[in-house]
Each structure stands twice: as structure tokens, then as C-alpha cells.
Amino acid sequence: MIRDVGLLWVGQAATKVLAFVAFAFLARVLETADYGAVEFAMGLAAFATVLIDAGLGTVGIRRLAQEGTSPARLAAHVAGAQMGLVAVVVPLACGCALLFAPDSRTVLLSCIVAASLVPLPWRQDWLFQATGQVAWSVVAQVVRGATFAVLVVLFVGHRPSLNLVGVFEVIAAVVAAAYLTRQQARRIGPPRLACNRGELRRLVHEAMPIGAAGVVWGFIHYTPLLLVGAVGGVIEAAHLGAAQRLAITLVSFSFAYHVAFFPALVQRIEADPEAAGRVSLASFRVAAWFGIAVGLALTLLAEPVLALVYGEKYGAAAPLLRCLAWIFPVTLLSGHVRWQLVALREARLMLVAQVTGAVLVVVAGPLLVWGFGARGAAAAMLLACLAIWGAAHRFARARRIAAPIAPAVRPALVAGVLLLLAGVVPLGPWIACLAGMLAYAGGALLLDRQLIPDLRWMLQLRSERAVVAGAAEGS
């Protein structure tokens, strides 16, 4: 399993590096307000992507793992359902731009970027991941990122234009969809759209709780950005979007880990719940030390990382990144209970947990944004993720599902002590980070003797099916 995750993360890393190159370049050549418009449009499109996915890919993976359904036939029904969603979601995204965008240029850019959603039904990444052909899905992601990055660097730098950014996003989406469609035709079966009403109804019914949870996740992470754009303007939206882009990148790795972990979990949780519990506990321990280490490093390096990626003018976003950095470990750890609920066909409970976070954003988000601007938005997102974890943990314990917490206590305490010391001892951020990581690693080896055995055991795990997932949104 870890080998599969490694392959997936390499592809994710390559894709994210290309995205960083493109958006770092845009942040440097565009005015801050124009870059804020780009982040607004991309955030709206990312939320719309979650609506179109609708959990159908996750259901496809589960069906192929448990039922042996025909991959080509299932893919045709998933694509048909998603095409219907495209017809609804794209106009809806344009309407949201009209309502929330701060100016007409941002509205136009948002509508152009929304057109990049049309090819999504022809990009069945989950199909390649579920049939053990993840390499083609990874290549498609890299092709998409590279196409956008190359076009941006070659053309936007000479004549900065918001509309060109949108057009290049559409071109990149079409190229990636064309590539994956060709690979599907060669390796699985001819891509097509199926509209059997009975099958579509069953598929949508099964995917609804998972898809709704994804929609709620997108609402939690992108609504604060839209609020900041509407209330604080595009400059504050630019700062929040820059910090959020880094945070969401990390969250996508969390999603990739758990969907790669999902097949092994599905195969064990019904046949041998105790074995599934052992897998979850070992994974939780390893993820706790790793995820909190990432949060600690990014907190210590927030200002230089933002300056390195986006330029010195984005130093004001450092407090936002210090807060948003902790979304990654929280999401990575809470995923252990959320995905167990899905494996036991209790996705509705995962949805209720997600709704808990959404309610917090609805109630506290506007107040925090109104009072504290972008900092309030970042706090709302982190608090929502903590609320989701708490609710999912309660549901899991009520159903006697393995829901560990204790393995995260020691790494959290070590990170907290190191952050306090970093605030007292006058070291530069890079030296503080290096010293902190060395101390953290030493603490892991001294304080948690079970970490290395669990890591070794995780490295030996192999899913009976070569099932891996590489989707960029989060759960």
C-alpha cells in the first residue's frame, strides 16, 4: 500500500510543483488585485469540480473492489451522470460569479474558467486507479499541469491578461481529457456516455452521501475565500488564496493517502474488523507523527515560503498560512474515522460530520471575516475541520469502529513545545525549522517506541487489488 501511495504522491508532487510554478509566476507578473481575481475564479471552479465529481468516482472504486462490475460499463454510467451535472453546475458557477465577484473583470474570468469544467466527464481518473493503471492517471495530471504552466510562462509574462489565464485553463483541461480518453479507449474500452435511468438512479443514490460530503468540504474551504473577496476585496482574497493554495495542496495529499488506503480497509473491515482496527491504528500513528511534522515545519517557515513562492509582497499572508498549515494534519488524522464510516456503508454519518463543519462556517464564518478579515476566514476553515473530526470520532465510537486519538497526543505536545521555544529563542526561520525538525525526530524515536514497528508493518501491507487514487480535491 505504501508503495502505491508513494507512486501517487510522486505524481501529485509533480503536478503541484507545476501549479506552484504557474501561480508563483502569475503572482509576480500580475498586480495583487488581478492575482486575487485569479484565485477567486480558480476557487469557484474548484468548488464546482467537487459538485461534478459528486462522489461518483469513490463509488466506482468501491464497486470494482467489492462487486467485480464491468469497468467499461460502470465508467459509461459515471460519465453520463457527470455530464448531466456539468449542464447544471457550469451555469450555476457563472451565476455565483455574478453574485459574489467584486468586479466585472473577475466575473468574466470566472465564466471563462468555468468552461474548463465541461471536459471533466471524459477524465475518469478513478477508473485507471481502480484497475491498477494509476500511472496513466498520474501522467494525465502532469500533462494538465504542464500545459497550463508552459502556456502561462510563455504568454502571460509578455502581456499580462486575466482572460488569457482563463483560456489556458480551458486548454489544459481539454488536453488532459483527450489524453485520458485515448488511454481509456486503448486499455479499458471505448469511452461513452450511458443514460440507463435505473442504473443512473442507483449510482447517484449510492454516491449521494459521499458526494454531498465532498460538496460540504468544498463549501467549508472555498466559501470563506468568496466571503473575503466580497467583503475585503481582491487584495485580501489574493493573500488568503496564496496561503490557501499551499494548504489545499497538502490536503490533496491527505485525500490521496486515504483513497489509496481505502481498498485495504474495505477488504478487511467486513471480514475481520479487528484486523481493520490494527491497520487503522498503525496508519494513524504514522500519519500523526508525519502530519504534525509538516504542520510544524510550515508554521515555522510560513514567511520565507510565501516569499519564495509568490514574492515579497505576499509576506502579509504569513499569519494566514500559519493557521491553515494545521488543516493538513487535522484532515489526515480525521480521515481514519471518516473513511472507515464509508467502508462500512455509513457515508451518511460522514456527511453529517461534514455538515457540522459547514454549520460552523455558516454561523461563525461571516462574523470572523467581518471582524478579522482574511485571518478570520483562515480560523473558520481550521475550526470547521476540527469540528468535523470531533463529530466523525463520536459516530465511529458509537459504532465501535477503531477511532484512535492517543497516538496523536505526543507528537502534538512535542510540536507545541517546539513552537513555544521558537517564539522565545531568536533564531532565523530556516535555522529554527532545521533545529525543530531534528528535535521532533528525536522526540518521535524516544517517546513512541511503537512508531518504527508500525511503519515497518505499513510498508509490508499490500492491497490484494492494485487500487490507487489520485484526485486533487480533499475530502
Side-chain angles (χ1 to χ4, degrees):
M1 185 187 72
I2 295 293
R3 183 176 59 185
D4 292 339
V5 173
L7 173 63
L8 181 58
W9 279 24
V10 167
Q12 288 274 3
T15 304
K16 299 308 178 184
V17 166
L18 289 166
F20 279 147
V21 170
F23 283 92
F25 182 81
L26 289 172
R28 291 171 183 272
V29 301
L30 296 176
E31 296 293 331
T32 305
D34 288 346
Y35 182 74
V38 171
E39 286 290 1
F40 183 97
M42 295 297 184
L44 184 59
F47 185 31
T49 300
V50 176
L51 291 171
I52 292 169
D53 176 75
L56 293 164
T58 302
V59 169
I61 292 174
R62 185 168 66 190
R63 282 195 177 187
L64 290 182
Q66 293 181 331
E67 302 174 7
T69 306
S70 165
R73 182 175 179 273
L74 181 58
H77 284 98
V78 169
Q82 289 180 335
M83 187 59 74
L85 289 170
V86 164
V88 175
V89 171
V90 171
L92 185 63
C94 295
C96 288
L98 287 169
L99 287 175
F100 293 104
D103 55 54
S104 59
R105 298 174 70 229
T106 307
V107 171
L108 178 58
L109 175 63
S110 299
C111 293
I112 295 172
V113 172
S116 69
L117 304 172
V118 176
L120 279 178
W122 301 106
R123 273 198 62 184
Q124 299 296 326
D125 296 81
W126 67 270
L127 179 62
F128 293 88
Q129 297 151 8
T131 54
Q133 303 182 67
V134 68
W136 304 112
S137 173
V138 170
V139 170
Q141 295 177 37
V142 174
V143 165
R144 191 189 196 289
T147 301
F148 180 72
V150 169
L151 290 173
V152 163
V153 172
L154 287 180
F155 296 102
V156 177
H158 298 292
R159 192 180 64 179
S161 168
L162 285 181
N163 293 341
L164 272 182
V165 175
V167 170
F168 294 157
E169 175 70 4
V170 175
I171 292 173
V174 170
V175 169
Y179 171 81
L180 214 53
T181 299
R182 177 174 174 78
Q183 296 304 328
Q184 181 179 339
R186 294 177 59 189
R187 303 174 190 283
I188 298 173
R192 59 190 181 88
L193 300 176
C195 298
N196 181 287
R197 291 184 180 181
E199 181 61 26
L200 286 177
R201 189 180 301 111
R202 288 189 294 271
L203 190 63
V204 171
H205 178 75
E206 188 176 351
M208 194 175 296
I210 302 172
V215 170
V216 173
W217 181 91
F219 178 86
I220 289 169
H221 288 282
Y222 293 109
T223 298
L225 177 62
L226 300 182
L227 286 174
V228 169
V231 174
V234 287
I235 292 180
E236 272 207 88
H239 291 156
L240 179 61
Q244 187 184 36
R245 182 166 294 280
L246 292 168
I248 296 299
T249 295
L250 293 175
V251 171
S252 69
F253 284 101
S254 167
F255 179 78
Y257 176 84
H258 282 295
V259 183
F261 177 69
F262 188 57
L265 192 63
V266 168
Q267 291 161 3
R268 290 167 174 81
I269 200 164
E270 292 183 348
D272 189 352
E274 290 187 6
R278 289 194 298 271
V279 171
S280 182
L281 178 60
S283 174
F284 188 91
R285 187 186 308 277
V286 173
W289 282 102
F290 173 75
I292 292 173
V294 173
L296 174 62
L298 199 53
T299 300
L300 294 171
L301 292 176
E303 192 168 347
V305 164
L306 286 165
L308 181 66
V309 175
Y310 298 107
E312 296 292 338
K313 59 186 178 181
Y314 286 88
L320 309 179
L321 183 56
R322 292 190 185 103
C323 178
L324 294 173
W326 295 97
I327 289 179
F328 171 67
V330 169
T331 304
L332 181 64
L333 296 178
S334 71
H336 287 80
V337 287
R338 290 184 290 108
W339 284 88
Q340 284 188 86
L341 291 172
V342 174
L344 286 172
R345 298 184 182 274
E346 294 280 6
R348 61 185 179 82
L349 295 179
M350 184 179 76
L351 173 59
V352 174
Q354 299 280 72
V355 169
T356 303
V359 169
L360 191 147
V361 168
V362 169
V363 174
L367 296 175
L368 289 170
V369 170
W370 184 267
F372 303 98
R375 295 190 184 197
M381 285 185 270
L382 179 57
L383 289 172
C385 291
L386 288 169
I388 291 168
W389 188 4
H393 184 268
R394 182 177 179 181
F395 292 142
R397 293 294 296 271
R399 280 151 183 77
R400 299 183 179 180
I401 298 172
I405 286 289
V409 172
R410 279 173 280 191
L413 289 175
V414 172
V417 170
L418 291 172
L419 285 174
L420 288 174
L421 289 175
V424 173
V425 181
L427 298 175
W430 293 104
I431 295 176
C433 183
L434 177 61
M437 288 297 100
L438 290 174
Y440 185 86
L445 296 175
L446 291 174
L447 298 176
D448 197 340
R449 298 299 178 88
Q450 189 61 32
L451 175 61
I452 298 302
D454 280 353
L455 179 59
R456 288 173 177 166
W457 187 57
M458 291 291 292
L459 288 169
Q460 293 172 356
L461 280 178
R462 292 289 182 269
S463 175
E464 294 176 7
R465 279 178 176 264
V467 185
V468 187
E473 307 353 326
S475 148

